Amino acid sequence: MAKTSFIFVLHFHQPIGQYRFVLERVQRNSYELLLRILKEYRDLHLTLHFSGPLLMYWEKYFPEYLSEMRELIKNSNFEVLGGTFSESILAILPWEDRARQLREGVKLVEKSLGVTPRGLWLPERVWDPTLPPFLRDAGYRYVIVDDEVGYRSGLWRDDAHRAVLTEYGGKSIGVFFIDGPIRYILPWKPHGEVFNYLRNYATDNGSLYVLWGSDAEKFGEWWDPYAAEQWLRIFFSSLRSDPSVELITPSEYIKRHGFSGLAYLAPGSYDKMMEWSGGYFPNFLRKYREVNNMHKKMLYVREKLASLGASESAWREYMLGQCNDAYWHGLFGGVYIPLLRQEVYSHLIRAERIAEEESSYYFGTPSIIKSFDFDMDGKDEIIIESKETNVYIKPSDGGSVFELDVKTPGAEHNLVSTMSRYPEPYLQGEKSLTPDWYRRVSFREHIWRRDANVYDWINNRPFIDTSDFALGEYIVEGVGDGKIVLSYTGRDWSDRRSPARIHLVKIYELVNEGKGLRVAYRWRNLEKRFIEPKLSVELHLLPRLSPASQEEPLFVVDDNYSQKATEYFSSPWSRKVDFKTSVGHLSIASTKHAEVWVAPILTWFRTEKGLKSEFQGAGISFNYTVALNPGEIFETEVLLAWQ
């Protein structure tokens, strides 16, 4: 009787930085359900993958569950796939990190589940043709990718339903292809429709396979637990009794049918990922400046760890900072989820701090200042490093601070891990959603129109900024003695027939033993006439968040007005704004009274459950309406402090 070989792969994953309540919900709704079913169908030849972050979560929070899963695997016909240690995208990692991630991923599976994997689950199935040597050196015999990769590389239908070999540099690896259409059928359609599709690939000896590989969370989390359990029980029972479909693991398929030949595969992933990334995963680094920032921070920390001879504990933290979920955006929040960004930075900063402490990096000096092209855009950035803090400054983008690392042990985070608002295609037609025309970071200057208000500012009302300071390319006037001096000559175009020239000098300096950043401002009227500009110093900050809850930060103005950070506030005469969470405190103070605006950065993004709004950080604008005679100077300082 003709039959189809059927490979069924369940992929279990939770990202580093997941909220604790989400972990508990998914554990209850999905993972407990699946363990219960898998115990009853241990005779089936199923294939399972558990991501490194999830195995570490189970070890920490659900050790009994992990022990039960390990025992089940030992006494079953299941095959277990391996993966990267922190579910990182190999295609965006340095080559040395690829090897480390794969090697440590194998060790983690062996330690947690007691088996040595022979097949690899690629995170987000992002394939790169240079991967075979790394996979072979880690001990893998095959890898699973999507049929989209095969078809885009010139394979035909039957080619993508047989195991093939591919090579790079003379080292080959086997490749199995996930069948695209069945991912949209199983488990959403009736069982009969699924089996009818599988029988389309029946042969006398079962040499053609259909591989379903997708998220385990579809059973109980994405779909009602009761309905999911009933569907899966009926499906597994039908697989036991239907001779036209033979359930088989990838290793068993190779043993029985081998490989059909050699193929060369272009970079790629599943169809939706190709759409979201524009056909190439690293495009996310160009599309979202926040993603590029995390990636370049990763590369910089790697260079530091290597040069300082860092310990394994530092390298482990570094690898955890490579977890993929915050480095892209598609059908779920990804980079738009603040806690995921925070956790990437937390691990990278912690790795950096450990390496610095081990090597006495700051011996004999309170700070180190570096100037180099950090984000690889062709223009140099400046970094002030100290034992307590790192400050990243971009002269070419308004002289702004785009990263500020707090290095307190156990509380490492980036205070400027904010998210700007982008023109996502699925938001077109939403009139109330206006993308940002500049990156929402800190210490950026504007000159506002006199009638501008807090809503005009945060919602990007056109033409309320009458100057060219915000995107100006600032001149580096001086670097030394722990200070960075920048300057820019801009124009106030409120009178377009006679724009007013204003020269700005701003000086960055770490204070309070590295636990504060002081920025001094000197605005000078270069015109031979009197002017009255509304000068602005703008900051956008993300207070440290707690993974234990979805608490909203609070802010207090002049120690009097307490509000949620998701609310708007305007004061005509204030000096100080404080932000508080259960795990952190921020203070922003001006030496001069000002009109103060406080507003949330709220974004809308797509998830598997529809559009969702998210707090991405808080904006603070100190607005000074000044009167300047020819040559006259207005001076103020803004102090940012944290604990």
Side-chain angles (χ1 to χ4, degrees), residues 358-388:
E358 292 172 343
S359 63
S360 300
Y361 184 70
Y362 296 104
F363 182 75
T365 182
S367 64
I368 296 172
I369 299 177
K370 299 178 180 179
S371 178
F372 66 101
D373 186 5
F374 168 82
D375 59 10
M376 300 186 184
D377 69 345
K379 297 179 180 179
D380 282 358
E381 287 70 48
I382 301 173
I383 303 178
I384 308 174
E385 297 180 327
S386 75
K387 184 178 179 181
E388 299 287 342

PDB file of all heavy atoms in Angstrom, residues 358-388:
ATOM      1  N   GLU A 358      36.908  41.836  36.173  1.00  0.00           N
ATOM      2  CA  GLU A 358      37.934  40.779  36.190  1.00  0.00           C
ATOM      3  C   GLU A 358      39.295  41.299  35.742  1.00  0.00           C
ATOM      4  O   GLU A 358      40.333  40.809  36.197  1.00  0.00           O
ATOM      5  CB  GLU A 358      37.502  39.631  35.279  1.00  0.00           C
ATOM      6  CG  GLU A 358      36.300  38.854  35.780  1.00  0.00           C
ATOM      7  CD  GLU A 358      35.794  37.857  34.746  1.00  0.00           C
ATOM      8  OE1 GLU A 358      36.147  37.988  33.549  1.00  0.00           O
ATOM      9  OE2 GLU A 358      35.049  36.933  35.131  1.00  0.00           O
ATOM     10  N   SER A 359      39.307  42.283  34.862  1.00  0.00           N
ATOM     11  CA  SER A 359      40.561  42.751  34.268  1.00  0.00           C
ATOM     12  C   SER A 359      41.049  44.078  34.833  1.00  0.00           C
ATOM     13  O   SER A 359      42.051  44.613  34.358  1.00  0.00           O
ATOM     14  CB  SER A 359      40.380  42.907  32.757  1.00  0.00           C
ATOM     15  OG  SER A 359      39.395  43.900  32.488  1.00  0.00           O
ATOM     16  N   SER A 360      40.357  44.610  35.862  1.00  0.00           N
ATOM     17  CA  SER A 360      40.702  45.936  36.411  1.00  0.00           C
ATOM     18  C   SER A 360      40.778  46.970  35.286  1.00  0.00           C
ATOM     19  O   SER A 360      41.732  47.724  35.154  1.00  0.00           O
ATOM     20  CB  SER A 360      42.027  45.878  37.178  1.00  0.00           C
ATOM     21  OG  SER A 360      41.953  44.958  38.247  1.00  0.00           O
ATOM     22  N   TYR A 361      39.735  46.990  34.495  1.00  0.00           N
ATOM     23  CA  TYR A 361      39.675  47.814  33.283  1.00  0.00           C
ATOM     24  C   TYR A 361      39.871  49.299  33.581  1.00  0.00           C
ATOM     25  O   TYR A 361      40.469  50.026  32.785  1.00  0.00           O
ATOM     26  CB  TYR A 361      38.330  47.559  32.614  1.00  0.00           C
ATOM     27  CG  TYR A 361      38.091  48.232  31.285  1.00  0.00           C
ATOM     28  CD1 TYR A 361      38.777  47.830  30.135  1.00  0.00           C
ATOM     29  CD2 TYR A 361      37.138  49.244  31.161  1.00  0.00           C
ATOM     30  CE1 TYR A 361      38.527  48.424  28.902  1.00  0.00           C
ATOM     31  CE2 TYR A 361      36.879  49.840  29.928  1.00  0.00           C
ATOM     32  CZ  TYR A 361      37.577  49.432  28.808  1.00  0.00           C
ATOM     33  OH  TYR A 361      37.333  50.018  27.590  1.00  0.00           O
ATOM     34  N   TYR A 362      39.373  49.750  34.729  1.00  0.00           N
ATOM     35  CA  TYR A 362      39.435  51.176  35.054  1.00  0.00           C
ATOM     36  C   TYR A 362      40.549  51.498  36.059  1.00  0.00           C
ATOM     37  O   TYR A 362      40.509  52.539  36.722  1.00  0.00           O
ATOM     38  CB  TYR A 362      38.093  51.652  35.611  1.00  0.00           C
ATOM     39  CG  TYR A 362      36.979  51.555  34.609  1.00  0.00           C
ATOM     40  CD1 TYR A 362      36.039  50.527  34.689  1.00  0.00           C
ATOM     41  CD2 TYR A 362      36.868  52.458  33.566  1.00  0.00           C
ATOM     42  CE1 TYR A 362      35.019  50.415  33.761  1.00  0.00           C
ATOM     43  CE2 TYR A 362      35.861  52.353  32.624  1.00  0.00           C
ATOM     44  CZ  TYR A 362      34.938  51.332  32.733  1.00  0.00           C
ATOM     45  OH  TYR A 362      33.939  51.222  31.807  1.00  0.00           O
ATOM     46  N   PHE A 363      41.528  50.627  36.171  1.00  0.00           N
ATOM     47  CA  PHE A 363      42.608  50.850  37.130  1.00  0.00           C
ATOM     48  C   PHE A 363      43.325  52.174  36.845  1.00  0.00           C
ATOM     49  O   PHE A 363      43.832  52.401  35.743  1.00  0.00           O
ATOM     50  CB  PHE A 363      43.626  49.703  37.061  1.00  0.00           C
ATOM     51  CG  PHE A 363      44.751  49.844  38.050  1.00  0.00           C
ATOM     52  CD1 PHE A 363      44.547  49.577  39.391  1.00  0.00           C
ATOM     53  CD2 PHE A 363      46.013  50.270  37.638  1.00  0.00           C
ATOM     54  CE1 PHE A 363      45.578  49.711  40.299  1.00  0.00           C
ATOM     55  CE2 PHE A 363      47.042  50.416  38.535  1.00  0.00           C
ATOM     56  CZ  PHE A 363      46.828  50.133  39.879  1.00  0.00           C
ATOM     57  N   GLY A 364      43.304  53.064  37.819  1.00  0.00           N
ATOM     58  CA  GLY A 364      44.025  54.326  37.700  1.00  0.00           C
ATOM     59  C   GLY A 364      43.284  55.421  36.967  1.00  0.00           C
ATOM     60  O   GLY A 364      43.829  56.519  36.787  1.00  0.00           O
ATOM     61  N   THR A 365      42.045  55.166  36.520  1.00  0.00           N
ATOM     62  CA  THR A 365      41.297  56.202  35.801  1.00  0.00           C
ATOM     63  C   THR A 365      39.806  56.074  36.100  1.00  0.00           C
ATOM     64  O   THR A 365      39.281  54.969  36.156  1.00  0.00           O
ATOM     65  CB  THR A 365      41.515  56.103  34.280  1.00  0.00           C
ATOM     66  OG1 THR A 365      40.803  57.149  33.621  1.00  0.00           O
ATOM     67  CG2 THR A 365      41.062  54.764  33.735  1.00  0.00           C
ATOM     68  N   PRO A 366      39.116  57.188  36.335  1.00  0.00           N
ATOM     69  CA  PRO A 366      37.682  57.111  36.630  1.00  0.00           C
ATOM     70  C   PRO A 366      36.826  56.840  35.400  1.00  0.00           C
ATOM     71  O   PRO A 366      35.707  56.342  35.512  1.00  0.00           O
ATOM     72  CB  PRO A 366      37.366  58.485  37.220  1.00  0.00           C
ATOM     73  CG  PRO A 366      38.386  59.393  36.610  1.00  0.00           C
ATOM     74  CD  PRO A 366      39.630  58.564  36.462  1.00  0.00           C
ATOM     75  N   SER A 367      37.345  57.167  34.208  1.00  0.00           N
ATOM     76  CA  SER A 367      36.549  56.978  32.999  1.00  0.00           C
ATOM     77  C   SER A 367      37.452  56.840  31.781  1.00  0.00           C
ATOM     78  O   SER A 367      38.615  57.250  31.794  1.00  0.00           O
ATOM     79  CB  SER A 367      35.580  58.146  32.789  1.00  0.00           C
ATOM     80  OG  SER A 367      36.284  59.350  32.574  1.00  0.00           O
ATOM     81  N   ILE A 368      36.900  56.260  30.736  1.00  0.00           N
ATOM     82  CA  ILE A 368      37.596  56.089  29.462  1.00  0.00           C
ATOM     83  C   ILE A 368      36.680  56.616  28.366  1.00  0.00           C
ATOM     84  O   ILE A 368      35.493  56.286  28.331  1.00  0.00           O
ATOM     85  CB  ILE A 368      37.933  54.604  29.210  1.00  0.00           C
ATOM     86  CG1 ILE A 368      38.908  54.084  30.272  1.00  0.00           C
ATOM     87  CG2 ILE A 368      38.507  54.402  27.808  1.00  0.00           C
ATOM     88  CD1 ILE A 368      39.144  52.580  30.205  1.00  0.00           C
ATOM     89  N   ILE A 369      37.210  57.442  27.477  1.00  0.00           N
ATOM     90  CA  ILE A 369      36.424  58.005  26.383  1.00  0.00           C
ATOM     91  C   ILE A 369      36.947  57.460  25.059  1.00  0.00           C
ATOM     92  O   ILE A 369      38.149  57.478  24.805  1.00  0.00           O
ATOM     93  CB  ILE A 369      36.477  59.542  26.390  1.00  0.00           C
ATOM     94  CG1 ILE A 369      35.886  60.083  27.700  1.00  0.00           C
ATOM     95  CG2 ILE A 369      35.725  60.110  25.196  1.00  0.00           C
ATOM     96  CD1 ILE A 369      35.956  61.586  27.826  1.00  0.00           C
ATOM     97  N   LYS A 370      36.016  56.970  24.239  1.00  0.00           N
ATOM     98  CA  LYS A 370      36.387  56.397  22.943  1.00  0.00           C
ATOM     99  C   LYS A 370      35.587  57.070  21.835  1.00  0.00           C
ATOM    100  O   LYS A 370      34.421  57.424  22.030  1.00  0.00           O
ATOM    101  CB  LYS A 370      36.109  54.889  22.917  1.00  0.00           C
ATOM    102  CG  LYS A 370      36.887  54.088  23.950  1.00  0.00           C
ATOM    103  CD  LYS A 370      36.513  52.613  23.886  1.00  0.00           C
ATOM    104  CE  LYS A 370      37.283  51.794  24.902  1.00  0.00           C
ATOM    105  NZ  LYS A 370      36.906  50.362  24.860  1.00  0.00           N
ATOM    106  N   SER A 371      36.196  57.221  20.687  1.00  0.00           N
ATOM    107  CA  SER A 371      35.521  57.754  19.511  1.00  0.00           C
ATOM    108  C   SER A 371      35.751  56.794  18.348  1.00  0.00           C
ATOM    109  O   SER A 371      36.895  56.560  17.953  1.00  0.00           O
ATOM    110  CB  SER A 371      36.053  59.150  19.168  1.00  0.00           C
ATOM    111  OG  SER A 371      35.427  59.651  18.009  1.00  0.00           O
ATOM    112  N   PHE A 372      34.676  56.209  17.835  1.00  0.00           N
ATOM    113  CA  PHE A 372      34.768  55.281  16.709  1.00  0.00           C
ATOM    114  C   PHE A 372      33.371  55.100  16.123  1.00  0.00           C
ATOM    115  O   PHE A 372      32.374  55.561  16.692  1.00  0.00           O
ATOM    116  CB  PHE A 372      35.360  53.932  17.135  1.00  0.00           C
ATOM    117  CG  PHE A 372      34.500  53.157  18.097  1.00  0.00           C
ATOM    118  CD1 PHE A 372      33.711  52.102  17.664  1.00  0.00           C
ATOM    119  CD2 PHE A 372      34.481  53.475  19.450  1.00  0.00           C
ATOM    120  CE1 PHE A 372      32.919  51.392  18.539  1.00  0.00           C
ATOM    121  CE2 PHE A 372      33.689  52.774  20.340  1.00  0.00           C
ATOM    122  CZ  PHE A 372      32.908  51.726  19.893  1.00  0.00           C
ATOM    123  N   ASP A 373      33.302  54.429  14.992  1.00  0.00           N
ATOM    124  CA  ASP A 373      32.018  54.241  14.308  1.00  0.00           C
ATOM    125  C   ASP A 373      31.295  53.051  14.929  1.00  0.00           C
ATOM    126  O   ASP A 373      31.309  51.939  14.401  1.00  0.00           O
ATOM    127  CB  ASP A 373      32.251  54.024  12.810  1.00  0.00           C
ATOM    128  CG  ASP A 373      30.952  53.974  12.018  1.00  0.00           C
ATOM    129  OD1 ASP A 373      29.885  54.196  12.611  1.00  0.00           O
ATOM    130  OD2 ASP A 373      31.015  53.708  10.800  1.00  0.00           O
ATOM    131  N   PHE A 374      30.610  53.279  16.020  1.00  0.00           N
ATOM    132  CA  PHE A 374      29.949  52.233  16.790  1.00  0.00           C
ATOM    133  C   PHE A 374      28.863  51.536  15.982  1.00  0.00           C
ATOM    134  O   PHE A 374      28.791  50.303  15.939  1.00  0.00           O
ATOM    135  CB  PHE A 374      29.352  52.830  18.068  1.00  0.00           C
ATOM    136  CG  PHE A 374      28.410  51.924  18.799  1.00  0.00           C
ATOM    137  CD1 PHE A 374      28.896  50.942  19.652  1.00  0.00           C
ATOM    138  CD2 PHE A 374      27.031  52.046  18.648  1.00  0.00           C
ATOM    139  CE1 PHE A 374      28.026  50.091  20.332  1.00  0.00           C
ATOM    140  CE2 PHE A 374      26.156  51.208  19.319  1.00  0.00           C
ATOM    141  CZ  PHE A 374      26.659  50.234  20.163  1.00  0.00           C
ATOM    142  N   ASP A 375      27.986  52.309  15.333  1.00  0.00           N
ATOM    143  CA  ASP A 375      26.845  51.706  14.650  1.00  0.00           C
ATOM    144  C   ASP A 375      27.100  51.413  13.174  1.00  0.00           C
ATOM    145  O   ASP A 375      26.198  50.996  12.448  1.00  0.00           O
ATOM    146  CB  ASP A 375      25.590  52.567  14.810  1.00  0.00           C
ATOM    147  CG  ASP A 375      25.775  53.978  14.257  1.00  0.00           C
ATOM    148  OD1 ASP A 375      26.795  54.236  13.591  1.00  0.00           O
ATOM    149  OD2 ASP A 375      24.888  54.824  14.498  1.00  0.00           O
ATOM    150  N   MET A 376      28.332  51.642  12.739  1.00  0.00           N
ATOM    151  CA  MET A 376      28.783  51.274  11.396  1.00  0.00           C
ATOM    152  C   MET A 376      27.992  51.966  10.290  1.00  0.00           C
ATOM    153  O   MET A 376      27.657  51.363   9.263  1.00  0.00           O
ATOM    154  CB  MET A 376      28.756  49.747  11.219  1.00  0.00           C
ATOM    155  CG  MET A 376      29.645  49.030  12.208  1.00  0.00           C
ATOM    156  SD  MET A 376      29.773  47.254  11.923  1.00  0.00           S
ATOM    157  CE  MET A 376      30.788  46.766  13.341  1.00  0.00           C
ATOM    158  N   ASP A 377      27.709  53.280  10.501  1.00  0.00           N
ATOM    159  CA  ASP A 377      27.029  54.057   9.473  1.00  0.00           C
ATOM    160  C   ASP A 377      27.964  55.024   8.776  1.00  0.00           C
ATOM    161  O   ASP A 377      27.521  55.867   7.992  1.00  0.00           O
ATOM    162  CB  ASP A 377      25.847  54.815  10.076  1.00  0.00           C
ATOM    163  CG  ASP A 377      26.283  55.936  11.019  1.00  0.00           C
ATOM    164  OD1 ASP A 377      27.468  55.951  11.438  1.00  0.00           O
ATOM    165  OD2 ASP A 377      25.445  56.800  11.341  1.00  0.00           O
ATOM    166  N   GLY A 378      29.261  54.929   9.058  1.00  0.00           N
ATOM    167  CA  GLY A 378      30.241  55.789   8.410  1.00  0.00           C
ATOM    168  C   GLY A 378      30.592  57.040   9.182  1.00  0.00           C
ATOM    169  O   GLY A 378      31.447  57.817   8.740  1.00  0.00           O
ATOM    170  N   LYS A 379      29.960  57.249  10.355  1.00  0.00           N
ATOM    171  CA  LYS A 379      30.245  58.429  11.166  1.00  0.00           C
ATOM    172  C   LYS A 379      30.527  58.014  12.601  1.00  0.00           C
ATOM    173  O   LYS A 379      29.865  57.129  13.141  1.00  0.00           O
ATOM    174  CB  LYS A 379      29.062  59.402  11.118  1.00  0.00           C
ATOM    175  CG  LYS A 379      28.792  59.937   9.713  1.00  0.00           C
ATOM    176  CD  LYS A 379      27.613  60.884   9.686  1.00  0.00           C
ATOM    177  CE  LYS A 379      27.382  61.396   8.262  1.00  0.00           C
ATOM    178  NZ  LYS A 379      26.220  62.317   8.191  1.00  0.00           N
ATOM    179  N   ASP A 380      31.505  58.659  13.212  1.00  0.00           N
ATOM    180  CA  ASP A 380      31.947  58.262  14.543  1.00  0.00           C
ATOM    181  C   ASP A 380      30.949  58.650  15.631  1.00  0.00           C
ATOM    182  O   ASP A 380      30.313  59.706  15.571  1.00  0.00           O
ATOM    183  CB  ASP A 380      33.295  58.899  14.874  1.00  0.00           C
ATOM    184  CG  ASP A 380      34.446  58.180  14.189  1.00  0.00           C
ATOM    185  OD1 ASP A 380      34.187  57.175  13.501  1.00  0.00           O
ATOM    186  OD2 ASP A 380      35.607  58.625  14.356  1.00  0.00           O
ATOM    187  N   GLU A 381      30.835  57.773  16.622  1.00  0.00           N
ATOM    188  CA  GLU A 381      30.120  58.057  17.860  1.00  0.00           C
ATOM    189  C   GLU A 381      31.141  58.181  18.987  1.00  0.00           C
ATOM    190  O   GLU A 381      32.304  57.806  18.823  1.00  0.00           O
ATOM    191  CB  GLU A 381      29.117  56.949  18.184  1.00  0.00           C
ATOM    192  CG  GLU A 381      27.878  56.941  17.301  1.00  0.00           C
ATOM    193  CD  GLU A 381      28.153  56.513  15.874  1.00  0.00           C
ATOM    194  OE1 GLU A 381      28.833  55.480  15.687  1.00  0.00           O
ATOM    195  OE2 GLU A 381      27.716  57.226  14.928  1.00  0.00           O
ATOM    196  N   ILE A 382      30.712  58.685  20.124  1.00  0.00           N
ATOM    197  CA  ILE A 382      31.589  58.858  21.284  1.00  0.00           C
ATOM    198  C   ILE A 382      30.993  58.099  22.457  1.00  0.00           C
ATOM    199  O   ILE A 382      29.793  58.192  22.720  1.00  0.00           O
ATOM    200  CB  ILE A 382      31.757  60.343  21.648  1.00  0.00           C
ATOM    201  CG1 ILE A 382      32.341  61.125  20.472  1.00  0.00           C
ATOM    202  CG2 ILE A 382      32.660  60.498  22.872  1.00  0.00           C
ATOM    203  CD1 ILE A 382      32.377  62.619  20.688  1.00  0.00           C
ATOM    204  N   ILE A 383      31.842  57.339  23.158  1.00  0.00           N
ATOM    205  CA  ILE A 383      31.390  56.595  24.333  1.00  0.00           C
ATOM    206  C   ILE A 383      32.201  57.041  25.541  1.00  0.00           C
ATOM    207  O   ILE A 383      33.434  57.065  25.505  1.00  0.00           O
ATOM    208  CB  ILE A 383      31.555  55.079  24.151  1.00  0.00           C
ATOM    209  CG1 ILE A 383      30.812  54.595  22.902  1.00  0.00           C
ATOM    210  CG2 ILE A 383      31.046  54.341  25.381  1.00  0.00           C
ATOM    211  CD1 ILE A 383      30.968  53.109  22.640  1.00  0.00           C
ATOM    212  N   ILE A 384      31.496  57.411  26.614  1.00  0.00           N
ATOM    213  CA  ILE A 384      32.129  57.636  27.915  1.00  0.00           C
ATOM    214  C   ILE A 384      31.858  56.393  28.750  1.00  0.00           C
ATOM    215  O   ILE A 384      30.703  56.055  29.004  1.00  0.00           O
ATOM    216  CB  ILE A 384      31.548  58.878  28.629  1.00  0.00           C
ATOM    217  CG1 ILE A 384      31.564  60.103  27.730  1.00  0.00           C
ATOM    218  CG2 ILE A 384      32.317  59.153  29.919  1.00  0.00           C
ATOM    219  CD1 ILE A 384      30.869  61.312  28.336  1.00  0.00           C
ATOM    220  N   GLU A 385      32.924  55.720  29.164  1.00  0.00           N
ATOM    221  CA  GLU A 385      32.784  54.511  29.974  1.00  0.00           C
ATOM    222  C   GLU A 385      33.308  54.767  31.378  1.00  0.00           C
ATOM    223  O   GLU A 385      34.367  55.375  31.553  1.00  0.00           O
ATOM    224  CB  GLU A 385      33.569  53.352  29.356  1.00  0.00           C
ATOM    225  CG  GLU A 385      33.078  52.928  27.985  1.00  0.00           C
ATOM    226  CD  GLU A 385      33.883  51.775  27.416  1.00  0.00           C
ATOM    227  OE1 GLU A 385      35.106  51.710  27.706  1.00  0.00           O
ATOM    228  OE2 GLU A 385      33.310  50.953  26.693  1.00  0.00           O
ATOM    229  N   SER A 386      32.567  54.294  32.352  1.00  0.00           N
ATOM    230  CA  SER A 386      33.034  54.334  33.738  1.00  0.00           C
ATOM    231  C   SER A 386      32.578  53.061  34.434  1.00  0.00           C
ATOM    232  O   SER A 386      31.810  52.271  33.870  1.00  0.00           O
ATOM    233  CB  SER A 386      32.485  55.564  34.463  1.00  0.00           C
ATOM    234  OG  SER A 386      31.122  55.399  34.778  1.00  0.00           O
ATOM    235  N   LYS A 387      33.020  52.879  35.660  1.00  0.00           N
ATOM    236  CA  LYS A 387      32.663  51.672  36.404  1.00  0.00           C
ATOM    237  C   LYS A 387      31.159  51.562  36.600  1.00  0.00           C
ATOM    238  O   LYS A 387      30.594  50.462  36.591  1.00  0.00           O
ATOM    239  CB  LYS A 387      33.361  51.683  37.766  1.00  0.00           C
ATOM    240  CG  LYS A 387      33.134  50.432  38.590  1.00  0.00           C
ATOM    241  CD  LYS A 387      33.890  50.497  39.906  1.00  0.00           C
ATOM    242  CE  LYS A 387      33.639  49.242  40.737  1.00  0.00           C
ATOM    243  NZ  LYS A 387      34.355  49.295  42.035  1.00  0.00           N
ATOM    244  N   GLU A 388      30.479  52.703  36.736  1.00  0.00           N
ATOM    245  CA  GLU A 388      29.051  52.709  37.023  1.00  0.00           C
ATOM    246  C   GLU A 388      28.169  52.882  35.795  1.00  0.00           C
ATOM    247  O   GLU A 388      27.021  52.444  35.790  1.00  0.00           O
ATOM    248  CB  GLU A 388      28.722  53.832  38.023  1.00  0.00           C
ATOM    249  CG  GLU A 388      29.415  53.706  39.366  1.00  0.00           C
ATOM    250  CD  GLU A 388      28.827  52.587  40.207  1.00  0.00           C
ATOM    251  OE1 GLU A 388      27.696  52.159  39.910  1.00  0.00           O
ATOM    252  OE2 GLU A 388      29.502  52.142  41.154  1.00  0.00           O
TER     253      GLU A 388
END
